[in-house]
Amino acid sequence: MAEPAGITLQTRLARGSFTLDVDLRLPARGTTVLFGPSGSGKSSLLRIAAGLEPAARGCVRIGGETWQDADSFLPPHRRALGVVFQHAALLPHLSVLDNLRYGWKRAGAATATLDAWIERLALSALLPRRPETLSGGERQRVALARALACEPRWLLLDEPLSALDAARRAEVLPFLETVRREAGLPILYVTHAIEEAVRLADHLVLLEDGRASACGPALEVLNRADLPLALREDAGVVLDATADARDAHGLVRLATAAGALYAHGATLAAGTALRVRIQARDVSLALSRHGDSSLLNLVPARLVALDPLPGGQVQARLEASGTPLLARISHRSVERLALQPGMMLWAQVKAVALLV
């Protein structure tokens, strides 16, 4: 079966001293995350995709259908889009059900679609309520269902969790994973939160100062040591993992390409696929395997390179069974252990440090 045509997002927008200039080819399936600091152009690029920046020049094409080029411009209401912004923007005088029905009726979508997203996003108990009685997380779930019930060809999410506190973000993230898994349409997701990029991205675009500095499969981009991500204080690597077993004390054993790892986390059924993020600052190195240590995760690894960092630190690039790992250690430790590229070492990771 032939792959569906992808998405072209090639555009230029000048605004004062800032210029957004990108030329992207995005996949027709899965979630593409636009990641970067505030002011890098993420939301402007999403607004261009939505047709909300008519001054932008370039081309927006999805599945062989042109929404914008040098000769044409399809206005927002004629683009088959679902859009969710930072704030849900629900109609305050309508119940949750009537908010959902408002856009759904206008789109002429199937009743089954509306019912399916009410169920998937656990909204049945909220249907008679008014928006002012909902939490921020509940409002965003309603906004998601409203966008999806219209059967869009492309779903655009502009930092949908940024206005929520940590507890509400944790509440909504699993529902976003449900959307990613079950929506069956391309998603463009804007965020500056690395945790959201790690959990949701199939494809990742890094934006800096209006330019795309990297673009590709999410884990490839997240694990590249030559990008600014590797220099952040929370630098790390992301691994695909499968939940294997759980012990009597709540530790879950994860199967990864780097080897078995133990982590604290939510109850996971055996066979559950997930991603694990291991931060460089949570990895220590040893020349030999210690049997008298409290550390449970001991991974044999080859030292690939030592990259100096400010403040007397060094970032060690490692390879464990062909899988990249990072460790952030002191320059004094490098000298004391006489570390050299090519050496075989043991990477030590606390179970509590794994971000599942």
Side-chain angles (χ1 to χ4, degrees):
M1 186 175 179
E3 283 289 311
I7 295 169
T8 297
L9 192 50
Q10 180 270 318
T11 189
R12 179 181 174 86
L13 176 65
R15 183 167 287 143
S17 61
F18 177 81
T19 300
L20 176 66
D21 192 350
V22 298
D23 189 354
L24 301 172
R25 303 297 182 273
L26 306 178
R29 290 195 177 101
T31 299
T32 295
V33 169
L34 302 179
F35 180 81
S38 297
S40 59
K42 306 184 300 298
S43 292
S44 293
L45 188 54
L46 180 141
R47 287 175 56 81
I48 290 169
L52 298 172
E53 295 286 356
R57 298 291 176 261
C59 176
V60 178
R61 185 178 294 117
I62 177 169
E65 180 180 328
T66 299
W67 288 356
Q68 179 177 338
D69 62 13
D71 302 315
S72 62
F73 181 87
L74 207 62
H77 67 276
R78 294 185 56 199
R79 302 188 186 199
L81 290 167
V83 185
V84 178
F85 294 105
Q86 295 178 21
H87 300 281
L90 303 178
L91 297 171
H93 61 290
L94 298 180
S95 68
V96 166
L97 180 58
D98 288 336
N99 265 280
L100 295 175
R101 283 177 170 167
Y102 181 79
W104 166 75
K105 286 180 179 177
R106 291 171 61 113
T111 302
T113 303
L114 176 59
D115 293 342
W117 284 112
I118 288 173
E119 180 180 353
R120 288 168 179 164
L121 298 178
L123 297 177
S124 294
L126 305 181
L127 295 180
R129 292 169 58 181
R130 293 287 182 91
E132 70 268 16
T133 71
L134 305 178
S135 70
E138 289 169 340
R139 286 194 291 271
Q140 287 302 77
R141 282 158 51 200
V142 173
L144 272 171
R146 181 179 59 182
L148 288 161
C150 297
E151 298 179 341
R153 293 189 62 191
W154 199 7
L155 180 64
L156 310 184
L157 305 176
D158 189 7
E159 303 215 49
L161 304 184
S162 65
L164 306 180
D165 60 27
R168 299 290 80 77
R169 287 197 298 271
E171 169 195 308
V172 178
L173 259 173
F175 290 103
L176 288 169
E177 290 177 316
T178 296
V179 171
R180 171 190 176 223
R181 186 172 57 249
E182 300 183 18
L185 77 165
I187 299 170
L188 189 66
Y189 189 101
V190 166
T191 185
H192 64 272
I194 189 66
E195 296 83 3
E196 295 171 38
V198 166
R199 289 183 63 169
L200 299 173
D202 298 300
H203 196 80
L204 186 63
V205 178
L206 299 185
L207 285 181
E208 294 181 78
D209 299 323
R211 305 292 192 276
S213 60
C215 178
L219 264 59
E220 288 183 14
V221 176
L222 286 166
N223 292 338
R224 277 179 55 179
D226 62 328
L227 294 175
L229 284 175
L231 301 178
R232 290 165 50 118
E233 182 62 29
D234 61 353
V237 299
V238 181
L239 307 181
D240 282 322
T242 303
D244 189 7
R246 197 176 190 88
D247 70 14
H249 304 288
L251 279 179
V252 61
R253 185 178 186 271
L254 302 171
T256 78
L261 298 171
Y262 291 89
H264 296 285
T267 300
L268 299 168
T272 300
L274 65 157
R275 287 175 177 172
V276 178
R277 185 162 180 257
I278 304 173
Q279 294 190 21
R281 65 190 180 196
D282 293 323
V283 179
S284 61
L285 301 178
L287 299 180
S288 60
R289 178 170 185 156
H290 298 295
D292 57 352
S293 170
S294 64
L295 293 170
L296 295 176
N297 296 316
L298 304 173
V299 179
R302 182 177 65 87
L303 180 58
V304 176
L306 294 165
D307 301 321
L309 297 173
Q313 290 187 310
V314 174
Q315 189 144 281
R317 282 187 270 152
L318 308 163
E319 187 178 81
S321 301
T323 300
L325 289 176
L326 295 176
R328 192 162 289 187
I329 58 178
S330 68
H331 193 273
R332 180 179 288 273
S333 294
V334 172
E335 292 181 339
R336 184 165 62 85
L337 298 177
L339 298 181
Q340 295 290 334
M343 293 176 65
M344 292 303 299
L345 303 167
W346 289 90
Q348 306 174 124
V349 189
K350 288 184 178 182
V352 73
L354 295 175
L355 306 179
V356 178

